Amino acid sequence: MDIEFEVKYGLDGVAVAISSISCVDGEKGKLVYRGFEIEDLIQNSNFEETAYLIWFGSLPNENELDFLISMLSKKRELPNQIIEMMKLFPKNSHPMEVLRSVVSMLGMYSKKENSTFENAINLTAKIPTIIAYWYRIRNDLPLIKPKESLKHSENFLYMMFGKIPEHFNLFDKALILHEEQGMNASTFASTVTASTLSDIYSIITTAIGTLKGPLHGGANEKVLKMFDEIGSIENVEFYINNLIEKKEKIMGFGHRIYKTYDPRAKILKNWIKEIFINNNIKYFEIALKVEEIVVNKFKDKKIYPNVDFYSGILYNYFGIPKEFFTPIFAMARIVGWTAHAMEYCKNNRIFRPKAIYNGPKNLKYKEVKGVE
Ligand SMILES: CC(C)(COP(=O)(O)OP(=O)(O)OC[C@H]1O[C@@H](n2cnc3c(N)ncnc32)[C@H](O)[C@@H]1OP(=O)(O)O)[C@@H](O)C(=O)NCCC(=O)NCCS
C-alpha cells in the first residue's frame, strides 16, 4: 500500500482554492459575503443586489442593479419544447429530479456564443420558472407565466400561487441567506466540473445532483418529514432519544465548519418567532423542543441547528410543499455555484486527487473454464 499519502476523508480541513467570495467562520458563527456580514445584507439588501455583490465583488450602483434586474426578468421563460416535455414527465418525479434534468436540457437550447456569465444569468432567471411550472404541472394547474415587472422572488411566488403572500420579503431574505457558503459539497462538485472546462449547464447539473442529498441541501425536506413523524410535542423526547440510541443523524443538525450556532439558523428562527407571536406557525413548537434536546445531548460534539433546520418551517408557512424546499435552496445557491466556477477558472487547474490503492497485485490472467 502507498503510505506516502494520508487520506483526508471528506477532504476535512483541506483547502482547494483561494477565494474572495465568502468567509465562513465556524468558531464565531459568522458568514460574510465579499466583506459584508450576512446580518447586514439581510437587513438592507435583496436577492438581486446580493447576487451582484457575489458575482462582481462590490455592491452595484443604481444603473448596474437596474441592468441586472432587467437581464434576470427578461430571461425567465422556458423554451416551449421544454415545457411540452415537462408535461410528459412522470407526475411523481421529485422536483429536484425535474430541476436537474431540465437544467441539463436547457444546455441544448442555449446559444453557443453566449459567455459563461450570460449563461449564468440565463439559468438563474430560469430556475424559479422550472420549479414553479413543475409545481403547477404536477398539480394539474394552468401555468402562470412570469411577469417582468416583478422582482425575482416575488415573481417566483406569483408563478407558484398566482399571488404574493404576506411577509413575502422574508422569502426574499431567506434566498439571500442561501446564496453562498464557501466550498460546500455542491460548490466543490461543480467547481470540479468547471475545472475540466465543461459548460455552465453541466456545472449546474453537477451542483444540483450534489445538493439533492440529505446530508447537504436535501436535509430541509427531511427535517419537515421528521416533524410530521413526531406529530406532537409530547412525542419529541421519545422520537429523538430513539434516533440517538440508534446512532442515526438528526436532520438539520451539525455542520463541517460551524461548531457553534449557524448564523443562518439563528436568523430564520428569529423571523419565525416574530411571525409566531401573531400566528400559529406549524411545527415551530416541535422544532424548539427538538433543538433543546439535541443541543443538550451533543454539547461536547458542538452540534447545533444548521440552516436546513428552520428554513422549511418558513417555506411551509408560505404554502410551499416540502419536496420543493431543496429546489428553492438551489434557486438561491446558483449564485454561489456560478461565482465559484468563474473565479476558479481564472486560475484553472483540473482537479485530479488520488486514491490509495489497497487491492490485490501481481495477479496473472487465467482463462475461466466452463463459461460459454
Ligand atoms: C452536516 C454533516 C453531514 C457534517 O458531517 P461531518 O462534518 O462529516 O461530521 P461528522 O458526521 O463526522 O460528525 C462529527 C460527530 O458528530 C456527530 N453528528 C454530526 N451531525 C450529527 C447529527 N445531525 N445528528 C447526530 N449526530 C451528529 C457524528 O455522529 C460524529 O460523532 P462521532 O465523532 O461520535 O462519530 C452532519 O452533521 C450531518 O449528517 N447532519 C445531518 C444532515 C444535515 O442537516 N445536513 C445539512 C447540512 S447544512
Side-chain angles (χ1 to χ4, degrees):
M1 188 153 73
D2 191 347
I3 50 165
E4 222 183 295
F5 294 89
E6 185 197 350
V7 179
K8 290 277 192 183
Y9 284 102
L11 298 183
D12 191 352
V14 175
V16 296
I18 292 178
S19 173
S20 63
I21 301 172
S22 70
C23 174
V24 185
D25 184 333
E27 293 305 321
K28 294 197 181 111
K30 290 239 163 266
L31 173 60
V32 172
Y33 296 167
R34 301 281 193 187
F36 294 89
E37 296 205 351
I38 193 72
E39 290 80 5
D40 189 6
L41 292 170
I42 53 142
Q43 195 68 39
N44 300 303
S45 188
N46 54 47
F47 172 82
E48 288 91 334
E49 191 185 48
T50 303
Y52 188 101
L53 172 71
I54 292 169
W55 277 323
F56 294 104
S58 60
L59 285 168
N61 63 29
E62 216 176 316
N63 286 342
E64 289 164 336
L65 183 59
D66 285 349
F67 182 64
L68 179 67
I69 290 173
S70 127
M71 273 173 81
L72 281 170
S73 59
K74 285 191 173 71
K75 299 267 176 208
R76 289 176 180 148
E77 187 55 285
L78 304 180
N80 258 332
Q81 296 97 316
I82 287 198
I83 300 173
E84 290 311 311
M85 280 190 272
M86 286 175 76
K87 289 179 182 164
L88 300 174
F89 290 171
K91 285 274 170 61
N92 62 354
S93 303
H94 192 285
M96 279 301 271
E97 293 175 319
V98 170
L99 185 61
R100 185 193 57 211
S101 306
V102 174
V103 163
S104 174
M105 285 159 72
L106 278 169
M108 295 182 281
Y109 292 84
S110 73
K111 288 196 191 121
K112 300 299 169 221
E113 65 276 17
N114 274 359
S115 69
T116 304
F117 182 66
E118 281 168 323
N119 283 330
I121 292 277
N122 188 30
L123 269 181
T124 306
K126 286 183 170 55
I127 283 182
T129 314
I130 300 168
I131 302 168
Y133 278 6
W134 183 241
Y135 170 77
R136 309 280 305 175
I137 290 170
R138 75 169 348 195
N139 288 305
D140 292 321
L141 295 166
L143 299 187
I144 299 176
K145 296 284 166 186
K147 234 188 203 169
E148 262 188 44
S149 59
L150 297 178
K151 294 280 181 62
H152 195 70
S153 44
E154 252 180 318
N155 173 67
F156 169 69
L157 293 169
Y158 167 75
M159 283 193 294
M160 288 280 284
F161 305 119
K163 58 180 194 271
I164 299 154
E166 200 189 349
H167 298 301
F168 121 84
N169 65 322
L170 289 184
F171 183 81
D172 188 74
K173 289 178 189 301
L175 292 188
I176 297 181
L177 291 182
H178 286 84
E179 281 188 61
E180 162 57 11
Q181 177 74 359
M183 200 47 81
N184 56 83
S186 54
T187 302
F188 175 59
S190 54
T191 307
V192 171
T193 305
S195 83
T196 70
L197 302 185
S198 191
D199 63 288
I200 200 101
Y201 295 88
S202 306
I203 291 168
I204 301 306
T205 305
T206 304
I208 294 169
T210 308
L211 185 75
K212 184 173 177 287
L215 296 189
H216 192 11
N220 54 12
E221 179 185 339
K222 298 280 182 212
V223 168
L224 242 74
K225 278 198 178 135
M226 173 173 77
F227 293 159
D228 276 333
E229 281 170 16
I230 292 174
S232 75
I233 193 131
E234 296 76 39
N235 299 336
V236 173
E237 202 149 353
F238 175 78
Y239 184 97
I240 295 296
N241 284 337
N242 189 34
L243 284 186
I244 294 171
E245 227 165 80
K246 288 197 283 186
K247 296 200 178 316
E248 282 186 27
K249 290 274 177 70
I250 298 148
M251 289 292 129
F253 285 89
H255 199 274
R256 175 67 59 77
I257 308 290
Y258 292 120
K259 295 304 166 200
T260 180
Y261 221 107
D262 178 335
R264 302 164 301 170
K266 203 185 269 179
I267 292 166
L268 285 161
K269 183 179 170 184
N270 282 337
W271 289 341
I272 296 164
K273 216 186 271 172
E274 275 170 37
I275 308 174
F276 191 72
I277 294 170
N278 298 317
N279 303 271
N280 183 16
I281 292 212
K282 201 170 170 196
Y283 305 119
F284 189 46
E285 285 177 314
I286 290 180
L288 292 177
K289 186 76 190 158
V290 171
E291 178 186 327
E292 184 192 314
I293 297 173
V294 175
V295 170
N296 262 326
K297 184 79 192 175
F298 293 118
K299 243 187 218 123
D300 297 344
K301 290 189 187 173
K302 299 185 174 175
I303 293 172
Y304 294 89
N306 57 50
V307 69
D308 295 319
F309 189 65
Y310 282 108
S311 60
I313 301 182
L314 186 72
Y315 302 151
N316 183 70
Y317 173 73
F318 288 116
I320 298 167
K322 46 182 169 302
E323 286 193 328
F324 287 79
F325 296 172
T326 318
I328 289 169
F329 192 151
M331 164 178 160
R333 184 56 59 83
I334 184 172
V335 176
W337 291 332
T338 47
H340 278 275
M342 289 185 278
E343 182 186 65
Y344 188 84
C345 286
K346 278 189 197 149
N347 200 9
N348 187 52
R349 188 155 189 224
I350 190 169
F351 278 101
R352 199 334 183 166
K354 63 181 280 166
I356 297 175
Y357 180 71
N358 73 347
K361 284 181 181 169
N362 302 322
L363 301 181
K364 292 279 175 260
Y365 177 79
K366 245 196 321 193
E367 200 178 329
V368 182
K369 295 270 186 320
V371 178
E372 304 256 319

